[in-house]
Amino acid sequence: PKMKEDNCLHAALICLGMLYYSHAVTTEKLNHTRPSLHGHHEKGKEGQILHRSKRGWVWNQFFVIEEYTGPDPVLVGRLHSDIDSGDGNIKYILSGEGAGIIFVIDDKSGNIHATKTLDREERAQYTLTAQAVDRNTNRPLEPPSEFIVKVQDINDNPPEFLHENYHANVPERSNVGTSVIQVTASDADDPTYGNSAKLVYSILEGQPYFSVEAQTGIIRTALPNMDREAKEEYHVVIQAKDMGGHMGGLSGTTKVTITLTDVNDNPPKFPQSVYQMSVSEAAVPGEEVGRVKAKDPDIGENGLVAYSIIDGDGVDMFEITTDYETQEGVVKLKKLLDFETKKSYSLKVEAANVHIDPKFISNGPFKDTVTVKITVEDADEPPVFLKPSYIFEVQENAASGTVVGKVHAKDPDAANSAIRYSIDRHTDLERYFTINADDGNIKTIKALDREEIAWHNISVFAVEIHKQHQEAKVPVAIKVVDVNDNAPKFAAAYEAFVCENARSNQQFITISADDKDDSANGPRFIFSLPPEIIHNPNFTLRDNRDNTASVLVRREGFSRQKQDLYLLPIVISDGGLPPMSSTNTLTIRVCGCDSNGSLLSCNAEAYILNAGLSTGALIAILACIVILLVIVVLFVTLKRQKKEPLIVFEEEDVRENIITYDDEGGGEEDTEAFDIATLQNPDGINGFIPRKDIKPEYQYMPRPGLRPAPNSVDVDDFINTRIQEADNDPTAPPYDSIQIYGYEGRGSVAGSLSSLESATTDSDLDYDYLQNWGPRFKKLADLYGSKDTFDDDS
């Protein structure tokens, strides 16, 4: 039915267009003519030129319905010229936009057809140019004229929204009619023709919470007091329909997600009326005790809650802070607790919104209160000393066992356990003190010396007897009180000098004193001479009463030759109770001075050098002599030790270790062939052992009578001669390692194989017996026992 309806509509529109076109053409023919822009010039028979005005086109604006899908091409319109007599001599030509492709023209009748389906939304109109020409000569009969073919719109496009999904926010509790968002749809159809592009908006989903304005697409709230805490998000579907919303129009939809934003319309509320908490009395200030939380369904800054303590007996002992991440109130300890003093506290805590909206003040008050009860738990506390530190005094040199002072600690727990005391030995390494473990009395173990250690800083432990892990520690400072037990002495090792020409009562040195005791036991030193020398004729002493004293010369004229050194005893006393004194000796040397009193020489020996050597000089000379003698003895001893290893003694003759190898072999008695007596040094026999490592300074020439005859065959004489020459020639190297080869030995079963003493030739010898000597003599048997074979071969 719908297709039939659409085809009928198209046919009706085509008929209306053709009727409109026919009426326009007729009206144009009757009322409108347009002169030709190009005139025709013809010559008469008499040669006159005739001028004739040409009639113009008869035409109008053409229309064609879009989206026509009929079987035949759509007739757009017809072009006709006044000069067309219908005989076919005129040819119509069409050019311009879409000519020949979309629009075709019958060149005889001038009818224009559309060969393709047109879409107004793609192109709304086409501009074409028509021309009439002579069919035979193609000469233009009319000037070209433009005309427009408009595509007539039909409702073939549905409305479309700019976005497929929209998101909007609106505060909760908004009044009815509050604008939320505007949605806009567009229609591609022609808005100037008909109602194809006239849109109407309506709401499909989201009622009764929201509504939409039909003409503008503005979405508004439709219900009062919408609560975000009840429902926060809504999904709304909006429809846009063309044809003014009438039946048969096309439509489009979009989705709108609307979120209610929060406002502070809910006060905070505690879920319970009382909170129970507990804390140990051993807790330190700042430690967390517990947490409370007031619930506020609002979010963001509207849900922020601040906590405060507004009343209670624990206001001074506790405090509360706000944890903005968890929106909790954190109760913390402010001061130290004591279970034995107070066992519980009560607090009144208030939770209030930080930001309040005046529009909803009537929903208030935006705060709530709760009671917090805190119980203090007993803790096992260590002992506590009555004082944070102790200071005691004890006199130095006090007897062992003297009481120094007493420390006291107690157990703060309800059990009140007994306490035992001890000294930290790391603070009393020398063990000067001891403490009574039960009552805390500190005593000395040995005498103390203030001048060695003036203060002793020790630490004392207090431990519960039944709980050894609970202990306390307190510092104890012990001052050693000074006793006047040190006599004053010279402040330095004084050595005074006095001139030989010193004047009477002349001051030559000022002395002072030191005292190890405290200044209270020696505020002023008193200097004096001993009573036995108070009338000393040489020197006198003057106390300056400022802890110094001056030594003066009592007489004039001193001589170094008579006495160059004086020892003056001086008594120094302090002002302590009882006073202490000591006698110190001042050494005074007599020196030679010039007229101005400047020292020249203090050496007394310079005046007696002409009389003889002094004792010191004699001692020095003797010491030098002794040192020289010791050096000479050491030198001789070392020299003798170096020479001893170079002498060869008779009992250490190394030549006895020489092993002689006999080339020929001597049988079983081979070891008797070497006579060591022939190698003995004749000089060593007589007890004289010459040095063998020193080359003699003279050249020794052997005696001519000792050398044997050249043709001598007596080997024994030859060897003895060589031995005698070597023993008597100190220049013949090596001096002590001559090797002698003796005879072959006597009594050998094999006899001698040497030919040195043989008077016969090889041909007279018989070596056949070598064949019977075994494999060791096989080589000799082959060499000597096969004489005949060799002779035969030769």
Side-chain angles (χ1 to χ4, degrees), residues 262-318:
D262 184 63
V263 297
N264 191 12
D265 59 338
N266 295 281
K269 203 74 175 175
F270 283 105
Q272 58 196 66
S273 59
V274 178
Y275 283 87
Q276 295 286 348
M277 299 179 183
S278 61
V279 61
S280 173
E281 65 172 332
V284 296
E287 187 171 333
E288 181 178 327
V289 178
R291 294 188 174 218
V292 297
K293 184 174 183 180
K295 294 183 178 180
D296 190 334
D298 297 322
I299 60 174
E301 66 177 12
N302 298 318
L304 294 179
V305 179
Y307 298 88
S308 60
I309 299 175
I310 59 176
D311 198 7
D313 58 359
V315 173
D316 296 332
M317 303 300 295
F318 300 92

Side-chain angles (χ1 to χ4, degrees), residues 755 758-767 784 787:
S755 60
S758 301
T760 60
T761 62
D762 293 339
S763 59
D764 299 330
L765 296 177
D766 184 9
Y767 298 101
Y784 295 96
K787 176 184 177 185

Side-chain angles (χ1 to χ4, degrees), residues 89 127 187 276 340 452 524 541 546 561 567 606 648 676 704:
N89 292 326
T127 301
D187 196 321
Q276 295 286 348
E340 289 71 27
E452 183 179 351
R524 194 181 76 78
L541 184 70
D546 59 355
Q561 287 79 11
L567 300 177
V648 180
I676 195 64

Side-chain angles (χ1 to χ4, degrees), residues 440-503:
N441 275 322
I442 301 175
K443 298 180 180 180
T444 60
I445 298 178
K446 53 187 176 181
L448 306 177
D449 187 359
R450 188 202 69 86
E451 287 72 40
E452 183 179 351
I453 303 176
W455 284 87
H456 293 267
N457 296 304
I458 64 174
S459 296
V460 175
F461 289 115
V463 183
E464 295 182 19
I465 293 179
H466 302 295
K467 299 175 182 178
Q468 298 294 328
H469 64 282
Q470 294 290 1
E471 67 176 12
K473 186 177 182 180
V474 67
V476 178
I478 301 174
K479 179 182 179 181
V480 181
V481 180
D482 184 46
V483 174
N484 192 23
D485 57 346
N486 289 280
K489 295 181 180 180
F490 276 157
Y494 292 108
E495 187 174 6
F497 301 92
V498 64
C499 295
E500 289 181 307
N501 55 358
R503 300 185 303 275

